[in-house]
């Protein structure tokens, strides 16, 4: 009885921890962990010559397959809001089976290895797309915690995978996509569309996301897509540099040899987690422009160190890993956030962004192998990346489209600007006044401005006090009267 009570208490404690941290929403981290284990450790390909990505034919098959899956399946699934359960199971199983086939290809020949590489590319791409679709239905407060914390999943793999050998290592790597698929199924179950309220309005975060998407799609989509394609091209260029360094890096430098540990990747995941949290919680809005302003200078410095210090530079490898992990975290968060705003499809958005990212890695690896460490190639790549910084967009899609709060009631921003100056409203409070004036609800404002429920409530409380109103109706009447007198 005591043992049973102890287990029940432990289960309840774990449930409370999981509920607070939303561990089930961190399943994308297991996909990222698989990528590290498969191509940066000898778990699947024992005794590789340099990095695994350059020592076996399966890496090329996987790289080509994952690029094709991101672009093609992203387009095909663009109108699908939630993936079916059997799709998720099939994608996870494909990645797991592909992992085993890749390992068996060492003994069974190139054909088996290539088939395994194709399967891993397909499984990795589909799982990433499905996770993006599922997370659109999750509250932004949970997303801003769960996606950055997903990087924590990689850290135990960095510590353990280099020491796993044979069938144990292969099974450990193959289990990662299965765990990710299981968590994805749990996430889909939590985020299933709720039934309608009594007044017929949809409820639940998934339904709210659909409503926002329908409201904003027509006006914002063209601007959002131009923005997304532009920053995807820049992100691709960053990953050309990362892939080029990966192809030429010496993995047994002095630091790694002394500790028998991939310290650069371990530190990179920890540092990227901290930077991602700082970026999310201290930026006004999660945007690719802000993301690239962090990442591109790091990539340039990493290239300079790589060329000047040599391909065994621990610091160059560390900065390249930080760029890689930080880009994966924030790019995924940004695309899901953009999909929640209704500006892009989650599947197509993650397909374009991750497809560009993976194409950059593939191109960089091929360039590194063909150039054989040419200093001229390194210098040219550094210059191109440094010059590309000026192409970073200065504003995000909502600012470009001008829909950050202008509505039917407050047709001109000057109307609410007058209220702001007269009553001493802050910029954020004026922005919320405009949204309230056009009849938007608190959940919509929270999703639109990416702020928490408590923050919305606090802002509205201050607005009512400053304007001396006591309800949304009184606020709308005040805005109407101000507009009539203008």
């Amino acid at each position: 009885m005591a043992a049973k009570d102890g287990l029940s208490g432990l289960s309840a404690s774990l449930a409370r921890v999981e509920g607070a941290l939303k561990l089930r929403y961190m399943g994308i981290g297991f996909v990222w962990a698989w990528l590290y284990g498969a191509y940066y450790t000898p778990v699947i390909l024992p005794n590789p010559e340099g990095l695994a990505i350059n020592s076996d034919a399966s890496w090329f098959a996987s790289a080509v397959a994952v690029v094709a899956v991101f672009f093609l399946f992203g387009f095909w699934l663009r109108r699908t809001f939630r993936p079916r359960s059997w799709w998720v199971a099939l994608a996870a199983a494909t990645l797991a089976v592909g992992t085993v086939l890749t390992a068996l290809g060492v003994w069974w020949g190139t054909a088996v290895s290539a088939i395994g590489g194709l399967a891993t590319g397909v499984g990795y791409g589909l799982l990433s797309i499905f996770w993006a679709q599922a997370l659109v239905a999750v509250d932004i407060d949970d997303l801003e915690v769960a996606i950055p914390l997903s990087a924590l999943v990689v850290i135990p793999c960095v510590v353990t995978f280099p020491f796993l050998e044979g069938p144990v290592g292969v099974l450990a790597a193959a289990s990662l996509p299965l765990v990710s698929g299981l968590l994805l199924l749990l996430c889909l179950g939590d985020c299933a569309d709720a039934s309608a309220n009594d007044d017929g309005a949809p409820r639940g975060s998934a339904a709210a996301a659909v409503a926002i998407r329908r409201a904003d799609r027509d006006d914002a989509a063209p601007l959002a897509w131009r923005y997304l394609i532009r920053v995807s091209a820049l992100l691709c260029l960053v990953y050309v540099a990362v892939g080029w360094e990966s192809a030429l890096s010496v993995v047994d430098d002095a630091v790694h040899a002394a500790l028998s540990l991939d310290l650069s990747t371990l530190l990179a995941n920890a540092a990227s987690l901290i930077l991602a949290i700082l970026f999310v919680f201290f930026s006004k809005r999660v945007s690719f422009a802000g993301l690239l302003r962090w990442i591109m200078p790091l990539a340039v410095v990493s290239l300079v160190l790589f060329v000047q210090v040599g391909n065994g530079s621990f610091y160059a490898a560390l900065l390249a890993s930080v760029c890689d992990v930080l880009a994966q975290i924030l790019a995924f968060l940004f695309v899901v956030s953009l999909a929640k705003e209704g500006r892009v499809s989650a599947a197509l958005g993650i397909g374009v962004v991750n497809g560009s990212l993976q194409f950059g890695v593939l191109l960089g690896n091929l360039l590194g192998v063909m150039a054989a460490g040419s200093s001229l190639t390194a210098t040219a790549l550094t210059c191109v990346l440094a010059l590309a910084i000026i192409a970073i967009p200065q504003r995000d899609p909502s600012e470009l489209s001008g829909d950050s709060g202008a509505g039917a009631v407050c047709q001109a921003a000057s109307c609410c600007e007058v209220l702001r100056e007269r009553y001493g409203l802050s910029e954020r409070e004026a922005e919320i006044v405009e949204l309230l004036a056009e009849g938007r609800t608190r959940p919509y404002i929270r999703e639109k401005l990416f702020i928490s429920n408590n923050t919305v409530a606090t802002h509205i409380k201050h607005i009512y006090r400053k304007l001396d109103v006591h309800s949304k109706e009184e606020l709308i009447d005040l805005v109407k009267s101000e507009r009539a007198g203008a």
Side-chain angles (χ1 to χ4, degrees):
M1 181 65 69
K4 184 177 180 180
D5 292 340
L7 289 175
S8 299
L10 178 61
S11 177
S13 299
L14 291 175
R16 285 196 297 272
V17 171
E18 198 280 336
L21 296 179
K22 307 297 183 184
L23 299 180
R24 60 194 178 279
Y25 299 154
M26 295 164 55
I28 186 62
F30 287 90
V31 181
W32 299 339
W34 174 89
L35 185 64
Y36 171 79
Y39 292 111
Y40 291 86
T41 71
V43 166
I44 297 178
L45 301 174
N47 303 316
E49 299 176 3
L51 287 178
I53 54 177
N54 301 320
S55 62
D56 187 86
S58 66
W59 82 265
F60 183 76
S62 181
V64 172
V66 76
V67 172
V69 166
F70 273 125
F71 284 117
L72 296 179
F73 278 84
F75 179 79
W76 182 44
L77 298 173
R78 69 192 187 280
R79 299 187 185 280
T80 304
F81 181 65
R82 294 176 65 248
R84 299 177 185 273
S85 297
W86 68 269
W87 292 359
V88 173
L90 181 61
T94 299
L95 185 51
V97 171
T99 302
V100 176
L101 290 177
T102 301
L104 293 176
V106 175
W107 297 279
W108 290 3
T110 304
V112 174
S113 183
I115 293 173
L118 288 173
T120 58
V122 172
Y124 182 92
L126 287 178
L127 270 182
S128 299
I129 290 174
F130 294 158
W131 266 111
Q133 290 180 301
L135 290 177
V136 169
V138 176
D139 288 341
I140 191 66
D141 296 340
D142 294 332
L143 282 180
E144 291 177 345
V145 174
I147 293 180
L149 286 181
S150 297
L152 288 175
V153 179
V154 182
I155 293 179
C157 297
V158 175
V159 176
T160 58
F161 271 38
F163 305 101
L164 298 179
E165 297 179 356
V168 174
V170 174
L171 291 177
S175 68
L176 294 175
L178 299 179
V179 174
S180 179
L182 177 61
L183 293 176
L184 180 51
L185 291 175
L186 293 175
C187 180
L188 290 172
D190 289 346
C191 302
D193 291 345
S195 58
N197 290 325
D198 295 337
D199 59 359
R203 69 181 182 184
S205 55
V210 173
I212 295 173
R213 184 170 71 240
R214 289 173 179 170
D216 291 345
R217 178 184 295 150
D218 295 339
D219 295 334
L223 286 171
W225 273 111
R226 286 197 292 269
Y227 178 91
L228 193 63
I229 291 172
R230 182 178 176 181
V231 295
S232 295
L234 292 173
L235 193 60
C236 177
L237 184 58
V238 169
Y239 269 86
V240 170
V242 172
W244 186 84
E245 289 188 46
S246 297
L248 299 174
S249 293
V250 177
V251 297
D252 56 350
D253 56 46
V255 176
H256 292 100
L259 298 175
S260 298
L261 186 66
D262 189 354
L263 185 61
S264 60
T265 302
L266 181 63
L267 292 177
N269 276 273
S272 299
L273 174 62
I274 295 171
L275 290 174
I277 291 173
L278 291 174
F279 179 84
V280 168
F281 288 100
F282 292 96
S283 295
K284 180 180 178 181
R285 175 180 286 272
V286 178
S287 70
F288 253 177
L291 162 69
L292 292 171
R293 279 193 287 270
W294 283 47
I295 291 176
M296 293 187 74
L298 288 177
V300 172
V301 173
S302 176
L303 278 174
V304 172
L305 286 174
F306 190 84
V307 174
Q308 297 299 322
V309 180
N311 61 2
S313 171
F314 168 77
Y315 302 103
L318 176 61
L319 286 179
S321 296
V322 168
C323 290
D324 182 13
V325 179
L326 188 61
Q328 287 193 69
I329 293 172
L330 296 181
F332 205 90
L333 177 59
F334 172 74
V335 171
V336 174
S337 300
L338 205 62
K340 288 179 71 66
E341 283 190 334
R343 301 182 186 281
V344 298
S345 158
L348 190 53
I350 207 68
V352 170
V353 172
N354 273 27
S356 301
L357 182 155
Q358 295 294 337
F359 178 74
V361 172
L362 174 60
L363 185 60
N365 274 276
L366 295 177
L367 184 63
V369 172
M370 291 186 295
S374 168
S375 59
L376 180 61
T377 302
T379 302
L381 185 58
T382 304
C383 293
V384 170
L385 189 59
L387 290 174
I389 293 177
I390 65 176
I392 297 175
Q394 298 302 309
R395 294 180 295 173
D396 66 21
S398 65
E399 294 171 322
L400 292 171
S401 61
D403 70 342
S404 60
V409 177
C410 192
Q411 296 179 357
S414 58
C415 173
C416 293
E417 181 65 21
V418 170
L419 291 177
R420 186 180 75 84
E421 294 178 355
R422 179 180 301 170
Y423 294 98
L425 301 175
S426 67
E427 291 185 6
R428 177 63 88 189
E429 288 169 350
E431 198 172 16
I432 293 175
V433 166
E434 293 178 12
L435 291 170
L436 289 171
E438 67 175 317
R440 299 299 188 181
T441 62
R442 293 191 184 194
Y444 180 95
I445 294 172
R446 175 174 58 82
E447 298 282 351
K448 188 75 173 177
L449 301 182
F450 299 98
I451 54 181
S452 67
N453 286 323
N454 290 336
T455 303
V456 173
T458 300
H459 280 310
I460 292 178
K461 180 180 178 181
H462 293 165
I463 289 168
Y464 283 4
R465 186 181 70 249
K466 291 179 180 180
L467 299 183
D468 194 23
V469 297
H470 304 90
S471 66
K472 182 193 292 187
E473 289 71 21
E474 290 185 21
L475 184 144
I476 292 176
D477 290 340
L478 177 62
V479 173
K480 284 183 177 180
S481 62
E482 183 63 39
R483 182 168 167 236

